[in-house]
């Protein structure tokens, strides 16, 4: 299927650098605002600057063959309603100019974006809200490569997209629901797509555990319903019931030939929770970033970590039977307090109590339990590891390490036991030892979602923007489009000369680097950012 989207590619060069008071230029392009004031915590020897601000829910960044930078704007958040435009923008001279408008071509959210072989490839939802991949040419012609990932009709959709060392494309696919069971936490999605459920990549045998919850599809507050795993809400299962695997499955990494996507889709690995970023190192080793469980829904899980993972083809990574650390969920430490759990039944008659239990008969399903050694980095619980990339050789002491954007928590809706925020930073992960080192964090960056290294060897961070929790809202997520941006991190040149040509001597000796009053990505910088330098010992 081909559609034509509005294309303005090349318009950026003709635009001036000044925006309106709202932060938008005459064409709707987001102009670079004054640099936000605030403090960054950054390792010694590195500096940070804002490339552009005023973006509306930006998700991913990519570069074309000429080194031009583009960013995708998602259009929405966790729930179905569209909050902002869905589009691809060119970033140049401190300004982001829309080049392809996608509102009429796809459903939100646009998450992964990759330039390949003369076109943009991106992940999104199709008109039936299933997960999809499309390709857009620079002149705005959009071609749907495939759709039909049922799990994307719920809160976790198809996410990153990248080209592997073998030339095939790979996408990360989230599973529907928190832990294999549709419940109240995905009610808005179920009401729009009643048949949505978690899907396996291979045939599995169920234990027949069913979770009793209020039936939110009716107005009767006393109406209760039993729901099993891997079936639609309100459907009970039986012990020994077989659920057939599907080709376009959730909780997976799928791979395909970009020139013949529909006919070549196959599973690379599966058994993940909400998998986001994908990358490879120079040796061809594959890594991925995974959001762990939440304490929500009909089958809440008291997790210990979120994870970055070593990925090998053909493996089952254990979700929803194992934790993010790849330990069995039958371990009592993963049980949340009873007030967050619901009664569980074996079949429809035998009540088992409020237990986490298991939903897949692993042995009967012929599945090999995951190995905890497959976990690379143990990120803090609810930190939400998102997009990832490997640092190039020129990135100093961090060369070869994997960088992970931690988007941060959404507590209390996703974890009523959490106090204070977690994540909201970029960390480095040693791909040999798994050691995690905080790299950059600061008030001006609200929600880092993507981190990529550009053709110039610099690190670029895509800040999705401000998302707060407002428990008076339903759902309780307060998005603020227009607060996103892109930041650039580079090594400090030897000799104490900063990116703007000024001396940093004296400032470094105080442990703070003040960035202000110099040229920044072609736009004037107002305001001051303080950067606290961490020594090697602190890091």
């Amino acid at each position: 299927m081909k559609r034509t989207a509005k294309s303005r590619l090349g318009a950026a060069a003709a635009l001036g650098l000044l925006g309106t008071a709202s932060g938008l230029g005459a064409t709707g392009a987001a102009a670079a605002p004054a640099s936000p004031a605030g403090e960054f915590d950054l390792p010694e020897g590195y500096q940070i600057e804002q490339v552009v601000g005023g973006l509306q829910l930006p998700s991913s960044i990519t570069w074309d063959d000429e080194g031009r930078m583009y960013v995708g704007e998602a259009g929405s958040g966790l729930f179905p309603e569209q909050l902002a435009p869905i589009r691809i923008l060119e970033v140049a001279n401190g300004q982001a100019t829309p080049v392809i408008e996608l509102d009429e071509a796809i459903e939100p959210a646009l998450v992964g974006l990759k330039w390949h072989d003369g076109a943009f490839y991106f992940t999104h939802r199709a008109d039936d809200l299933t997960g999809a991949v499309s390709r857009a040419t620079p002149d705005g012609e959009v071609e749907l490569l495939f759709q039909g990932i049922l799990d994307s009709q719920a809160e976790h959709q198809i996410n990153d997209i990248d080209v592997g060392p073998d030339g095939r494309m790979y996408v990360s696919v989230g599973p529907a629901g928190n832990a294999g069971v549709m419940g109240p936490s995905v009610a808005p999605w179920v009401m729009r797509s009643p048949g949505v459920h978690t899907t396996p990549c291979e045939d599995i045998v169920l234990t027949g555990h069913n979770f009793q919850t209020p039936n939110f599809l009716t107005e009767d507050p006393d109406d209760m319903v039993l729901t099993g795993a891997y079936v639609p809400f309100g459907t009970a299962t039986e012990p020994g019931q077989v659920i057939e695997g599907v080709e376009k499955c959730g909780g997976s990494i799928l791979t395909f030939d970009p020139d013949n996507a529909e006919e070549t889709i196959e599973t690379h690995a599966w058994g993940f929770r909400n998998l986001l970023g994908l990358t490879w190192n120079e040796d061809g080793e594959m890594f991925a970033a995974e959001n762990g469980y939440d304490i929500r829904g009909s089958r809440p899980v008291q997790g210990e970590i979120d994870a970055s993972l070593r990925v090998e083809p053909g493996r089952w990574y254990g979700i929803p039977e194992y934790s993010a650390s790849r330990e069995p969920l039958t371990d009592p430490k993963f049980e949340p307090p009873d007030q967050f759990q619901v009664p569980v039944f074996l079949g429809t008659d035998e009540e088992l109590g409020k237990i986490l239990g298991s939903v897949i008969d692993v042995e009967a399903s012929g599945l090999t339990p995951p190995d905890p050694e497959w976990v690379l980095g143990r990120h803090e619980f609810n930190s939400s590891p998102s997009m990832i990339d490997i640092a190039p050789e020129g990135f100093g002491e961090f060369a070869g390490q994997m960088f992970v954007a931690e988007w941060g928590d959404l507590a209390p809706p996703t974890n009523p036991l959490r106090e204070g925020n977690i994540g909201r930073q970029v960390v480095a992960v040693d791909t040999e030892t798994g050691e995690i080192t905080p790299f950059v964090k600061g008030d001006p960056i609200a929600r880092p979602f993507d981190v990529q290294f550009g053709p110039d060897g610099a690190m670029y961070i895509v800040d999705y923007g401000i998302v707060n929790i407002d428990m008076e809202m339903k759902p309780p997520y307060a998005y603020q489009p227009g607060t996103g941006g892109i930041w650039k991190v580079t090594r400090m040149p030897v000799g104490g000369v900063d990116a703007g040509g000024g001396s940093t001597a004296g400032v470094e000796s105080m442990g703070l680097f003040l960035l202000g009053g110099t040229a920044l990505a072609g736009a004037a910088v107002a305001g001051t950012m303080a950067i606290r330098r961490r020594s090697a010992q602190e890091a």
Side-chain angles (χ1 to χ4, degrees), residues 122-140:
F122 49 93
T123 64
H124 61 95
R125 290 186 175 93
D127 51 9
D128 61 357
L129 299 185
T130 61
V133 171
S134 287
R135 171 172 55 206
T137 58
D139 61 2

Side-chain angles (χ1 to χ4, degrees), residues 310-341:
R310 307 176 192 274
V311 179
E312 292 289 342
R315 285 177 175 173
W316 175 64
Y317 277 76
I319 304 297
E321 278 302 296
Y322 291 78
S323 69
S325 54
R326 274 52 204 182
E327 300 173 89
L329 288 186
T330 50
D331 189 316
K333 68 181 178 180
F334 297 117
E335 294 272 354
D338 278 356
Q339 67 262 36
F340 302 114
Q341 299 198 76

Side-chain angles (χ1 to χ4, degrees), residues 112 121-123 132-133 146 149 157-163 168-174 249 251-256 265-266 268-269 272 275-278 280 286:
Y121 289 76
F122 49 93
T123 64
V133 171
F146 68 82
I149 298 176
Q157 67 170 88
I158 184 170
N159 293 309
D160 200 7
I161 184 167
D162 208 344
V163 180
R168 290 175 63 89
M169 279 200 160
Y170 291 77
V171 291
S172 56
V173 183
C249 47
S252 66
I253 298 173
L254 302 180
T255 179
F256 57 92
I265 296 174
E266 58 185 52
H268 184 72
F272 303 102
L275 202 70
L276 283 104
L278 305 174
W280 293 259
M286 188 179 192

Side-chain angles (χ1 to χ4, degrees), residues 51-52 55 57-64 67-74 87-92 96 110-116 120-122 159-162 278 387-389 405 449-456 458-464 485-489:
V51 176
V52 69
L55 300 181
L57 311 181
S59 53
S60 296
I61 193 171
T62 192
W63 289 263
D64 68 13
R68 290 183 289 257
M69 182 194 303
Y70 300 90
V71 63
E73 290 185 327
R87 55 192 182 179
I88 299 171
L89 305 96
E90 182 178 354
V91 180
L110 186 159
V111 182
L113 177 67
K114 181 70 175 180
W115 174 270
H116 174 68
F120 298 101
Y121 289 76
F122 49 93
N159 293 309
D160 200 7
I161 184 167
D162 208 344
L278 305 174
M387 301 300 194
I388 60 180
D389 202 7
F449 185 75
D450 193 11
V451 56
Q452 297 293 317
F453 287 87
D456 57 357
M459 172 193 288
Y460 291 85
I461 302 167
V462 176
D463 178 11
Y464 181 85
I486 299 174
W487 296 81
K488 178 180 179 180
V489 178

Side-chain angles (χ1 to χ4, degrees), residues 248-313:
K248 298 171 183 176
C249 47
S252 66
I253 298 173
L254 302 180
T255 179
F256 57 92
D257 180 346
D259 294 324
N260 188 19
E262 188 70 66
E263 301 301 321
T264 60
I265 296 174
E266 58 185 52
T267 302
H268 184 72
W270 69 293
F272 303 102
R273 197 178 173 277
N274 191 24
L275 202 70
L276 283 104
L278 305 174
T279 196
W280 293 259
N281 65 13
E282 290 185 350
D283 296 326
E285 297 173 304
M286 188 179 192
F287 305 96
E290 178 188 63
N291 290 188
Y293 298 106
D294 297 325
I295 303 177
R296 65 170 174 91
S298 296
R299 191 171 183 243
V301 179
Q302 172 64 71
E304 289 186 313
I305 66 166
D306 287 0
S308 48
L309 302 164
R310 307 176 192 274
V311 179
E312 292 289 342

Side-chain angles (χ1 to χ4, degrees), residues 495-496 503-514:
S503 172
T504 62
V507 178
E508 286 281 11
S509 66
M510 296 186 294
L512 293 176
F513 176 71
L514 303 179

